């Protein structure tokens, strides 16, 4: 069943191009327009939405963080992301014009289910982005947009994460298309670019030997930090989570801009730090800011492990290692930049002789509150 791989985790990381391709399948018509027939929420309701709240736990919540950047940009609708277990206990402001999006691989996470129930009680429209057909969350939500990642066996989520991000992009682009906003050219070009993502993810996988080698060398490391900015921030959080879950290593993700406000105090000689660098071709000037962050931590002795876009030579002088990923637009980059971090965590856990599919103390779906 592991398809020749030594673990389900390895197999599922490797399945990611297919998982993303399958999540896109049948959702783009021949002219490149998005059709989400399955999403049975009246268009008038979707047009009236004035706020989106994503509720989820763990890795699924980080997919929600990525969604926030994309949907706010494409749709100009405010998006909040909230851990499902925090959401309903703080009297959230939710009403008939709120779309609550529950993201869950299993569709059974009790915290997320309770958030959906709470949202419905407040009159919100609820949409599930879920991988498991026939599970509880989609049954209770008003509508569902299935991710088609296929069964995910390893406890820590990988291919479901990429599929969740993909489905969230589809949701954002669909809302943008429906609401006829001024970014329609960008919507069309992003849809075209999404179709290229499976090949680009494959390319990242094909280049993963070096990150595996480094992971094996680092099997004894007691702590790893992750820095990212913009959509690279949730990628940093997910990279840290994977390392905690799989390798039981203390790991923390930070927004790179926050570095000088605290985390830089943690940097001492030899501290490994992954940095996810935004594209130098991006709209913002974030690239140079993150490159400065790499310089700052390097000057304090950090061991810098940099994930950057092909052709980004500016990072090379300050990086102990660079893992290059193919070029893509800023908002879609998480589908690529997270992959070396997954491979790193998985390989390091293997090197430590751990059970990467069934990490201690964790369950694939947590059906208690
Ligand atoms: C945790 C799993 O218990 O639940 C994580 O260990 C997962 O891997 C999280 O991200 C959320 O699960 P789900 O099924 O709601 O996506």
């Amino acid at each position: 069943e592991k398809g020749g791989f030594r673990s389900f985790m390895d197999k599922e990381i490797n399945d990611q191009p297919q998982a993303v391709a399958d999540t896109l399948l049948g959702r783009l018509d021949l002219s490149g327009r998005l059709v989400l027939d399955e999403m049975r929420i009246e268009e008038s309701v979707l047009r009236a939405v004035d706020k989106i709240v994503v509720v989820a736990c763990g890795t699924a919540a980080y997919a929600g963080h990525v969604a926030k950047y994309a949907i706010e940009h494409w749709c100009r609708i405010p998006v909040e992301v909230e851990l499902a277990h925090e959401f309903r206990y703080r009297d959230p402001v939710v009403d008939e014009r709120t779309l609550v999006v529950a993201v869950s691989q299993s569709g059974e996470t009790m915290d997320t289910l309770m958030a959906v129930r709470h949202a419905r009680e407040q009159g919100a429209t609820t949409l599930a982005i879920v991988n498991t057909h026939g599970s509880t969350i989609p049954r209770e939500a008003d509508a569902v947009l299935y991710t088609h990642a296929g069964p995910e066996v390893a406890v820590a989520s990988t291919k479901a994460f990429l599929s969740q991000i993909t489905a969230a992009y589809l949701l954002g682009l669909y809302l943008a298309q429906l609401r006829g906003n001024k970014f329609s050219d960008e919507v069309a070009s992003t849809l075209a670019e999404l179709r290229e993502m499976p090949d680009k993810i494959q390319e990242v996988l094909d280049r993963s030997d070096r990150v595996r080698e480094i992971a094996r060398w680092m099997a004894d490391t007691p702590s790893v930090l992750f820095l990212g900015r913009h959509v690279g921030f949730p990628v940093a959080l997910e990279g840290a989570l994977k390392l905690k879950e799989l390798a039981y290593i203390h790991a923390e993700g930070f927004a790179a801009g926050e570095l000088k406000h605290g985390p830089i105090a943690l940097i001492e000689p030899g501290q490994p730090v992954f940095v996810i660098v935004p594209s130098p071709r991006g709209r913002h000037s974030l690239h140079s800011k993150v490159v400065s962050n790499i310089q700052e931590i390097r000057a304090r002795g950090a061991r810098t492990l940099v994930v950057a876009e092909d052709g980004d030579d500016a990072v090379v002088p300050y990086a102990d290692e660079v893992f290059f990923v193919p070029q893509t637009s800023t908002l879609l980059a998480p589908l690529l930049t997270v992959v070396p971090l997954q491979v790193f965590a998985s390989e390091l856990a293997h090197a430590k002789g751990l059970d990467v599919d069934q990490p201690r103390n964790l369950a694939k779906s947590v059906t208690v509150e």
Side-chain angles (χ1 to χ4, degrees), residues 56-66 83 103-105 152 155-162 164-165 234 237-239 241-242 245 338 342 364:
C57 302
T59 291
Y62 297 146
H65 274 268
V66 174
L83 293 168
V103 184
S104 172
Q105 188 288 128
E152 192 179 62
V155 167
S157 184
T158 53
K159 64 176 180 172
F161 180 60
L162 264 63
Q164 287 159 352
I165 293 175
L237 296 174
E238 173 61 7
L241 180 60
K242 282 284 113 9
E245 289 177 311
V338 78
Q342 298 169 330
K364 183 68 184 155

Side-chain angles (χ1 to χ4, degrees), residues 20 74 165 169 186 189-201 203-204 207 230-231 235 276-283 307-312 324-338:
V20 169
W74 292 326
I165 293 175
Y169 290 148
E186 192 177 341
S189 68
T190 307
L191 282 171
E193 212 184 328
L194 263 179
R195 293 175 184 212
E196 297 168 7
M197 295 312 281
D199 286 345
K200 292 185 181 181
I201 298 164
E203 176 73 31
V204 180
R207 298 181 191 179
H230 194 262
V231 287
V235 170
I276 297 92
V277 181
S279 167
R281 302 169 302 115
R283 265 179 301 267
V307 179
E309 183 178 275
D310 278 342
D312 185 358
F324 284 110
V325 301
Q327 296 188 348
T328 190
S329 63
T330 300
L331 287 169
L332 302 190
L335 292 175
L336 306 180
T337 53
V338 78

